Amino acid sequence: MAAPLSVEVEFGGGAELLFDGVKKHQVTLPGQEEPWDIRNLLVWIKKNLLKERPELFIQGDSVRPGILVLINDADWELLGELDYQLQDQDSILFISTLHGSRIGAGSTW
Amino acid sequence: MVSIFLSHAFRRSLPLLPRSDPAMPAPQCATCHKARAALRRPRSGRALCGACFCAAFEAEVLHTVVAGRLLPSGAVVAVGASGGKDSTVLAHVLQVLAPRLGISLRLVAVDEGIGGYRDAALAAVRRQAARWELPLTVVAYADLFGGWTMDAVARSTAGSGRSRACCTFCGVLRRRALEEGARLVGATHIVTGHNADDMAETVLMNFLRGDAARLARGGGLGSPGEGGALPRCRPLQLASQKEVVLYAHFRRLDYFSEECVYAPEAFRGHARHLLKLLEAARPSAVLDLVHSAERLALAPAARPPAPGACSRCGALASRALCQACALLDGLNRGRPRLAIGKGRRGLDEAGPPRDGEPERAPAPDAVPAF
């Protein structure tokens, strides 16, 4: 039984555009049977925060390739990715690497 | 024969870490052994903290520049600054390395005239110029190309029922604009922020288009500056896009990250999507593609002829007209697709049709124009 958790969810690199342009979200996750991990956080985000075009953020049960996930400023790869169990006051940052001004790169060489 | 599984479960080439245990924190930094590791470098597998990662990133860019002799001491370097993550990281890193390299930097931003998008990006560049205390010059398409903004080009090339060609224009004109801006500020070299992912996408695009000429020229660390053009290089070209983003994050760099309004229709998006899928299956695919291109040798029949000079403006050109002049010609004549697609008739300077000779309509493009 997981107690309610208070976490900060942040979006950057253009990902914030899918969330009404809001970068930082203070989130209270309700108490539930299973512990909160990134996997079910994503489900929660999709249901409660994502405003448009979920396929640009989520693919299957994970994030779309090209979206970096930092938990407390560390790459989620070091912490178990989807299996990382959230703790109170954790900060989870999703940075998109997919946007940007790539115009002009094509004809270089 | 290995099939590529696209689902997340097979995506990692490193073994999945065990279900995380709150008592097992992230590993220690392998360099300083003091701070907690923030990421694992893909090539070496070493876990580094944010500060040591940034130092390693800077050292690698320094190595790229020094080993490739890209920017000699005394160089005046024009940095193509779009306000985006890559040029922001590029300018920041070069600022850090400038004293060691003995170079000076000038920011050059290109205003393509894309309403809404470019204004916000330029605002980001202006903030950066102020913060770094670097001189900034903005060159506008409208001034350089007889009033043609990208919005005007997009209107001119739209409505023919096919995918947008405006990105093709923008690529060519932007390079020309950057060259002009660099000359204006007295630069000896031009640098742009292309990263390894960009280079890999370009390799894929050139293969998919059958562009032997570009593949033949590809792979070098820079364009040496033939035909009087300023030498260009891409100091970040061996840096993966992910690491560029992480560097910007750990250095708290402010950049602009919205997508160009026309970009969704550019062909590059398809190459990028394919690359992301490939990378999920084989993380080294990005750099491997770049290295493959470097080692590519073309069959004699495929090698392009030595380029000459544009008959109009003197710039490097493989035909009578350089791409920029040919594209602008097409726009001004109301036939914007003249210089695009297979055949690219517009590049061979044809005058107006002689009397008595009906002007032939251009043959339908065998490949989609973009």
Side-chain angles (χ1 to χ4, degrees):
Chain A
M1 172 72 191
L5 287 181
S6 181
V7 296
E8 182 184 72
V9 177
E10 202 181 336
F11 303 100
E16 66 273 22
L17 298 171
L18 302 173
F19 298 90
D20 265 344
V22 178
K23 287 191 171 184
K24 288 200 195 198
H25 303 250
Q26 280 299 342
V27 160
T28 304
L29 301 172
Q32 62 174 24
E33 262 313 313
E34 319 165 346
W36 281 101
D37 58 18
I38 301 289
R39 189 178 278 105
N40 46 39
L41 175 66
L42 286 180
V43 173
W44 188 93
I45 288 176
K46 184 173 175 184
K47 201 166 129 198
N48 295 283
L49 288 184
L50 198 48
K51 296 297 176 204
E52 53 180 291
R53 307 184 66 189
E55 73 280 4
L56 292 185
F57 187 69
I58 299 215
Q59 185 173 295
D61 64 349
S62 185
V63 287
R64 186 181 169 207
I67 301 208
L68 306 185
V69 185
L70 296 181
I71 303 169
N72 302 326
D73 242 22
D75 191 336
W76 72 336
E77 279 176 24
L78 293 176
L79 299 167
E81 295 196 6
L82 291 173
D83 295 327
Y84 171 81
Q85 292 194 13
L86 293 176
Q87 298 174 44
D88 198 50
Q89 303 308 315
D90 271 351
S91 173
I92 301 100
L93 168 60
F94 298 93
I95 315 180
S96 172
T97 65
L98 300 169
H99 289 292
S101 41
R102 194 66 56 241
I103 37 187
S107 30
T108 306
W109 58 280
Chain B
M1 179 68 180
V2 176
S3 347
I4 297 176
F5 289 97
L6 303 180
S7 73
H8 175 73
F10 293 90
R11 171 160 99 120
R12 305 296 319 148
S13 62
L14 295 171
L16 269 178
L17 293 166
R19 191 163 190 95
S20 97
D21 164 7
M24 181 188 82
Q28 287 281 49
C29 174
T31 296
C32 68
H33 306 290
K34 280 189 268 180
R36 191 183 60 124
L39 55 91
R40 192 181 298 279
R41 309 251 11 238
R43 303 195 91 198
S44 62
R46 301 183 82 206
L48 298 183
C49 69
C52 291
F53 161 68
C54 290
F57 186 92
E58 287 159 8
E60 282 158 21
V61 175
L62 178 63
H63 177 79
T64 298
V65 171
V66 168
R69 292 190 235 255
L70 301 180
L71 302 173
S73 178
V76 177
V77 180
V79 181
S82 65
K85 63 185 189 326
D86 301 299
S87 58
T88 300
V89 166
L90 173 68
H92 181 89
V93 172
L94 285 182
Q95 257 229 315
V96 168
L97 300 177
R100 236 171 304 180
L101 291 171
I103 60 176
S104 64
L105 303 176
R106 312 267 186 275
L107 295 179
V108 176
V110 175
D111 178 2
E112 309 95 338
I114 301 175
Y117 169 74
R118 189 40 80 191
D119 311 303
L122 282 177
V125 182
R126 291 199 167 93
R127 286 196 299 273
Q128 290 168 356
R131 189 169 332 114
W132 293 324
E133 292 172 1
L134 285 178
L136 167 65
T137 302
V138 180
V139 281
Y141 278 14
D143 298 329
L144 290 174
F145 306 126
W148 282 104
T149 60
M150 271 316 294
D151 286 339
V153 172
R155 281 192 295 273
S156 177
T157 56
S160 48
R162 327 184 71 209
S163 63
R164 251 191 233 281
C166 60
C167 297
T168 299
F169 284 81
C170 199
V172 174
L173 297 179
R174 161 195 289 265
R175 297 188 68 225
R176 180 57 57 88
L178 196 50
E179 179 92 22
E180 290 302 319
R183 285 191 193 284
L184 269 176
V185 301
T188 56
H189 293 74
I190 297 177
V191 294
T192 52
H194 296 89
N195 58 49
D197 294 57
D198 297 325
M199 306 307 271
E201 285 164 19
T202 300
V203 174
L204 278 179
M205 283 170 68
N206 289 336
F207 269 111
L208 292 168
R209 294 188 295 203
D211 196 329
R214 290 207 170 98
L215 285 170
R217 288 202 303 273
L221 277 177
S223 319
E226 308 148 312
L230 287 176
R232 274 173 199 252
C233 63
R234 306 160 206 102
L236 298 183
Q237 79 171 58
L238 297 178
S240 76
Q241 180 155 262
K242 172 175 174 176
E243 296 208 313
V244 169
V245 172
L246 287 173
Y247 181 89
H249 171 76
F250 287 115
R251 287 289 193 232
R252 310 286 180 235
L253 300 179
D254 152 50
Y255 59 88
F256 176 74
S257 51
E258 283 185 31
E259 190 173 51
C260 175
V261 294
Y262 300 119
E265 300 175 52
F267 183 58
R268 178 169 289 271
H270 297 291
R272 180 176 303 162
H273 180 66
L274 179 56
L275 189 68
K276 283 286 146 228
L277 294 176
L278 290 170
E279 191 184 19
R282 184 186 157 86
S284 60
V286 174
L287 275 169
D288 290 344
L289 261 173
V290 179
H291 290 312
S292 294
E294 279 176 347
R295 294 178 182 114
L296 199 58
L298 291 194
R303 285 185 213 129
C310 172
S311 56
R312 213 171 276 178
C313 73
L316 202 65
S318 46
R319 299 213 223 177
L321 285 184
C322 71
Q323 270 196 300
C325 287
L327 287 174
L328 288 169
D329 223 30
L331 282 174
N332 289 325
R333 292 209 245 165
R335 293 173 57 200
R337 289 181 186 261
L338 199 54
I340 301 178
K342 260 196 148 88
R344 298 200 288 170
R345 235 165 239 92
L347 287 167
D348 304 316
E349 185 166 25
R354 290 195 287 265
D355 286 350
E357 246 179 35
E359 184 168 354
R360 261 194 336 232
D365 294 341
V367 293
F370 53 82

